[in-house]
Coordinates of all heavy atoms in Angstrom, one line a residue:
G8 N 98.5 256.2 159.5 CA 99.6 256.9 159.9 C 99.5 257.1 161.4 O 98.9 256.3 162.1
L23 N 102.1 274.1 164.8 CA 102.5 272.8 164.0 C 103.4 273.3 162.9 O 103.2 274.4 162.3 CB 101.3 272.1 163.5 CG 100.4 271.6 164.5 CD1 99.1 271.1 163.7 CD2 100.9 270.5 165.3
G28 N 100.5 265.8 153.8 CA 99.8 264.7 154.4 C 99.2 265.0 155.8 O 98.4 264.2 156.4
R29 N 99.7 266.1 156.5 CA 99.3 266.4 157.8 C 97.9 267.0 157.8 O 97.6 267.8 157.0 CB 100.3 267.3 158.5 CG 99.9 267.6 159.9 CD 101.0 268.4 160.6 NE 101.8 267.5 161.3 CZ 102.8 268.0 162.1 NH1 103.1 269.2 162.2 NH2 103.6 267.1 162.7
V31 N 94.2 267.9 160.3 CA 93.7 268.2 161.6 C 92.2 267.9 161.6 O 91.4 268.4 160.7 CB 93.9 269.7 162.0 CG1 93.3 270.1 163.3 CG2 95.4 270.1 162.0
R32 N 91.8 267.2 162.6 CA 90.3 266.9 162.7 C 89.9 267.5 164.0 O 90.4 267.3 165.1 CB 90.2 265.3 162.8 CG 88.8 264.8 163.0 CD 88.7 263.3 163.1 NE 89.1 262.8 161.8 CZ 89.7 261.5 161.7 NH1 89.7 260.7 162.7 NH2 90.0 261.0 160.5
N37 N 85.3 274.5 168.8 CA 85.7 275.4 167.5 C 87.1 275.8 167.6 O 87.7 276.0 168.7 CB 84.7 276.5 167.5 CG 83.3 276.2 167.4 OD1 82.9 275.5 166.5 ND2 82.5 276.5 168.5
W39 N 90.3 278.2 165.3 CA 90.8 279.1 164.2 C 92.1 278.6 163.8 O 93.0 278.3 164.6 CB 90.9 280.5 164.8 CG 91.7 281.5 164.0 CD1 91.4 281.8 162.7 CD2 92.8 282.2 164.4 NE1 92.3 282.8 162.3 CE2 93.1 283.1 163.3 CE3 93.5 282.4 165.6 CZ2 94.3 283.9 163.3 CZ3 94.6 283.2 165.6 CH2 95.0 284.0 164.5
E43 N 101.2 279.9 157.8 CA 102.2 280.7 157.1 C 102.2 280.4 155.5 O 102.0 279.2 155.1 CB 103.6 280.2 157.6 CG 104.6 281.2 157.6 CD 105.9 280.7 158.3 OE1 106.1 279.4 158.3 OE2 106.5 281.5 159.0
T45 N 99.8 281.3 153.5 CA 98.4 281.3 152.9 C 97.8 282.6 153.4 O 98.0 283.1 154.4 CB 97.6 280.1 153.4 OG1 97.4 280.2 154.8 CG2 98.2 278.8 152.9
S46 N 96.8 283.1 152.6 CA 96.2 284.3 152.9 C 94.8 284.2 153.5 O 94.3 285.2 153.9 CB 96.1 285.2 151.5 OG 95.2 284.4 150.6
D48 N 92.5 282.5 156.5 CA 92.4 281.8 157.8 C 91.1 280.9 157.7 O 90.2 281.2 156.9 CB 92.3 282.7 158.9 CG 93.5 283.5 159.2 OD1 94.6 283.2 158.5 OD2 93.6 284.4 160.1
V49 N 91.0 279.9 158.5 CA 89.9 279.0 158.5 C 89.4 278.9 160.0 O 90.1 278.8 160.9 CB 90.3 277.6 158.2 CG1 89.2 276.6 158.2 CG2 90.9 277.6 156.7
S53 N 83.2 271.3 165.3 CA 83.2 269.8 165.5 C 82.9 269.1 164.2 O 82.0 269.5 163.5 CB 82.1 269.5 166.5 OG 82.4 270.0 167.8
A65 N 101.8 276.4 161.1 CA 100.4 276.5 161.3 C 100.1 276.7 162.7 O 100.7 276.2 163.6 CB 99.7 275.2 160.7
V66 N 99.2 277.7 163.0 CA 98.8 278.0 164.4 C 97.3 277.7 164.5 O 96.5 278.2 163.7 CB 99.1 279.5 164.7 CG1 98.7 279.8 166.1 CG2 100.6 279.7 164.5
E68 N 94.1 277.9 167.2 CA 93.7 278.5 168.5 C 92.3 278.0 168.8 O 91.4 278.0 168.0 CB 93.6 280.1 168.3 CG 93.2 280.7 169.6 CD 93.2 282.2 169.6 OE1 93.7 282.8 168.6 OE2 92.6 282.8 170.5
A80 N 100.1 261.5 157.9 CA 99.9 260.4 156.9 C 101.2 259.5 156.9 O 102.2 260.0 157.2 CB 99.7 260.9 155.5
P82 N 104.3 257.9 155.6 CA 105.2 258.4 154.5 C 105.1 257.4 153.2 O 105.1 256.2 153.4 CB 106.6 258.4 155.0 CG 106.5 257.6 156.3 CD 105.1 257.6 156.7
G85 N 108.4 257.1 148.1 CA 109.2 258.3 147.5 C 109.7 259.1 148.6 O 110.8 259.7 148.7
D90 N 114.1 261.1 152.1 CA 114.7 261.3 153.5 C 116.0 260.5 153.6 O 117.0 261.1 154.2 CB 113.7 260.8 154.5 CG 112.4 261.7 154.7 OD1 112.5 262.8 154.1 OD2 111.5 261.3 155.3
R98 N 125.4 263.0 156.0 CA 126.5 262.2 156.6 C 127.8 262.4 155.9 O 128.8 262.5 156.5 CB 126.1 260.8 156.6 CG 127.1 259.9 157.3 CD 126.6 258.5 157.4 NE 127.6 257.6 157.9 CZ 127.6 256.3 158.0 NH1 126.7 255.7 157.3 NH2 128.6 255.6 158.5
R100 N 128.7 265.0 154.1 CA 129.1 266.4 154.4 C 129.8 266.5 155.7 O 130.9 267.1 155.9 CB 128.0 267.4 154.3 CG 127.7 267.8 152.9 CD 126.9 269.1 152.8 NE 125.8 269.2 153.8 CZ 124.6 269.1 153.5 NH1 124.1 268.8 152.4 NH2 123.7 269.2 154.4
I104 N 133.8 267.3 156.6 CA 134.1 268.3 157.6 C 135.0 267.8 158.7 O 136.0 268.4 159.1 CB 132.9 269.0 158.1 CG1 132.2 269.9 157.0 CG2 133.2 270.0 159.3 CD1 130.8 270.4 157.4
E116 N 149.4 278.0 162.4 CA 149.4 279.0 161.4 C 148.1 279.0 160.6 O 147.4 278.0 160.5 CB 150.5 278.8 160.4 CG 150.5 277.4 159.7 CD 151.8 277.1 159.0 OE1 152.8 277.2 159.6 OE2 151.7 276.7 157.8
T119 N 144.1 278.9 154.4 CA 143.0 279.3 153.5 C 142.6 278.0 152.7 O 143.5 277.3 152.4 CB 143.4 280.4 152.7 OG1 144.5 280.1 151.8 CG2 143.7 281.7 153.4
H120 N 141.3 277.9 152.4 CA 140.8 276.8 151.7 C 140.1 277.3 150.5 O 139.2 278.1 150.5 CB 139.8 276.0 152.5 CG 140.5 275.5 153.8 ND1 141.2 274.3 153.7 CD2 140.7 276.0 155.0 CE1 141.7 274.1 154.9 NE2 141.4 275.1 155.7
C125 N 144.1 273.1 150.3 CA 144.4 273.8 151.5 C 145.8 274.4 151.3 O 146.8 273.8 151.0 CB 144.5 272.8 152.7 SG 144.9 273.5 154.3

Side-chain angles (χ1 to χ4, degrees):
L23 303 169
R29 181 174 266 183
V31 175
R32 180 181 293 158
N37 297 297
W39 165 58
E43 206 171 34
T45 62
S46 61
D48 293 353
V49 176
S53 293
V66 179
E68 180 177 348
D90 291 347
R98 183 176 178 195
R100 282 198 314 256
I104 291 170
E116 56 194 50
T119 57
H120 299 273
C125 181

